[in-house]
Amino acid sequence: MNSIALLHAAQLVTLAGPERARIGAELSDLAIIENGGMLVRDGVIAAIGASDEIAKQLPEDVEVVDAGGRVVLPGFVDAHAHPVFGGNRVDEFEMRARGASYEEIAAGGGGIRSTVRKTRASSEAELLAQAQKRANWFLHCGTTTMEAKSGYGLSLKEELKILRVIRQLNETTPIEFVPTFLGAHAIPEEFRSAPEQYVALVIHEMLPSVAEEQLAESCDVFCEHGYFDLADSEKILMAAQEHGLRLRMHVDQLTNTGGAFLAARLRAATADHLEQTNGAEITALAEAGVQPVLLPGSVYSLGLTRYPKARAMIDAGLAVVLATDFNPGSSPTPSIPMVLSLAATQMKMTPAEGVTATTINGAYSLGRGDKIGSLEVGKAANFCIFDCADYREIAYWFGHPQTHAVYVKGQQVL
Ligand code: NIG
Ligand code: FE
């Protein structure tokens, strides 16, 4: 039996609370234990409380981890990420600096399709090696669980290749990857003149294979002008539901196509992006219990100024999630601390709301709220020690993560 005792956390940010995603004022309640401590047995939290109390009941052969007056948080849960792809898009980054827009670059053959070309040209081993390197970046920013979408393959063979890489990431890195099938990310080059045939391929060939090999837990669609319209998105998502997949959607990122209403009607687990979403959609999402996943890194990185209306969403009772949207085109950041900074400065979310949105609420959005996302007895001992004395500093000092150590299931991984 392996036991560790974490002692002397200036703030042990537990997020203890109701057994569901947090809404309204609950987002501000972090259930912090000052000078906190925690006992972990076999990777699971066995006791949590004042450091002095934990120190009194130390079992024999326990390994003591002294947090040394630092801050301890649950490992971040990044609920929207595209970590498996070939190459990068640094050339497009420079083109945008010179004034081109994301849409113009995509129309000229760049964008998602350019990453599809590089991904198809990469072997499974090459993709795995690249993604393992990126996984390490996430770990350095304090993320211990993350979603991983396919979507840069866009053929049966290539989408399965990406999903198998995600499976291998789970086996070869300390991070838990939660796989999402995003075959409907863009219409591939070879189907440009017959997009309906690609939609049929997603529904009749890709989804059945993904479900049969149990390669994904959720299905996502990029619902946007020039990508997948409302009718096609609905067809794909209804088919996914029949295969037992949960639903996530990219909606209202560049234009408002009514995708948020569709997410509400289908009772999707999440509606993501929502930069162009207004009051009526927010009400519909609230009534349907859909969690919004807000991605300020993509707004920032595309040089845009319209961030999602986080305050209106919190006021409407939505269980807001924040995530990186890590991808080579619109959001090349693995950093949840950076997202917390953007959420505070651009969306007026407090540091406390940001922490809730990147831990327990992210965990519930991925169907794991009962196992991770807070530090409570019975949950996995996934936690990070940050080299600061006040959790608000994680969002405040931006551009450099203050990660001091990371533990997954009670094992130190960084
Ligand atoms: O979430 N919106 C669609 N997907 C990504 C962008 C992907 C890319 O540009 O490669 C996003 O922003
Ligand atoms: Fe995305």
Side-chain angles (χ1 to χ4, degrees), residues 80 82 89 102 112 152 185 222 250 253 273 325 327 329-330:
H80 183 134
H82 310 243
R89 303 234 288 276
Y102 182 81
I112 294 172
Y152 291 113
H185 196 193
F222 185 19
H250 283 72
Q253 178 182 13
H273 277 289
D325 193 17
N327 75 73
S330 66

Side-chain angles (χ1 to χ4, degrees), residues 206-362:
M206 295 191 197
L207 272 171
S209 300
V210 168
E212 171 154 60
E213 279 196 55
Q214 296 187 341
L215 283 167
E217 294 185 15
S218 303
C219 178
D220 192 344
V221 172
F222 185 19
C223 186
E224 181 65 62
H225 284 303
Y227 295 84
F228 296 86
D229 65 15
L230 277 181
D232 287 339
S233 299
E234 178 162 3
K235 273 193 247 166
I236 292 165
L237 292 170
M238 301 234 329
Q241 233 162 9
E242 277 166 31
H243 286 290
L245 297 176
R246 305 172 83 230
L247 309 184
R248 318 179 83 77
M249 289 179 72
H250 283 72
V251 296
D252 296 349
Q253 178 182 13
L254 306 169
T255 56
N256 185 324
T257 63
F261 288 120
L262 178 60
R265 196 146 51 75
L266 295 176
R267 300 200 176 263
T270 66
D272 304 35
H273 277 289
L274 305 175
E275 286 89 326
Q276 315 300 328
T277 300
N278 298 311
E281 290 102 316
I282 291 174
T283 305
L285 293 173
E287 280 166 4
V290 178
Q291 285 192 262
V293 181
L294 309 182
L295 309 165
S298 68
V299 184
Y300 166 77
S301 176
L302 293 180
L304 303 175
T305 51
R306 186 166 166 151
Y307 286 82
K309 298 182 173 63
R311 288 257 56 92
M313 293 179 195
I314 293 171
D315 289 347
L318 289 176
V320 171
V321 177
L322 285 165
T324 60
D325 193 17
F326 178 76
N327 75 73
S330 66
S331 192
T333 181
S335 175
I336 290 284
M338 180 68 197
V339 167
L340 295 178
S341 167
L342 291 170
T345 60
Q346 308 302 309
M347 292 153 63
K348 305 301 175 201
M349 285 179 69
T350 64
E353 290 170 333
V355 166
T356 304
T358 51
T359 54
I360 190 71
N361 278 10

Side-chain angles (χ1 to χ4, degrees), residues 140-154:
H140 275 84
C141 295
T143 294
T144 53
T145 305
M146 59 187 281
E147 195 228 17
K149 300 179 194 291
S150 67
Y152 291 113
L154 308 187

Side-chain angles (χ1 to χ4, degrees), residues 9-11 67-73 385-395 397 402-404:
Q11 295 180 331
R70 298 183 179 86
V71 168
V72 176
L73 261 78
I385 306 177
F386 288 95
D387 195 10
C388 51
D390 182 323
Y391 76 90
R392 295 174 299 178
E393 293 181 68
I394 296 168
W397 303 108
Q402 296 147 83
T403 325
H404 174 76

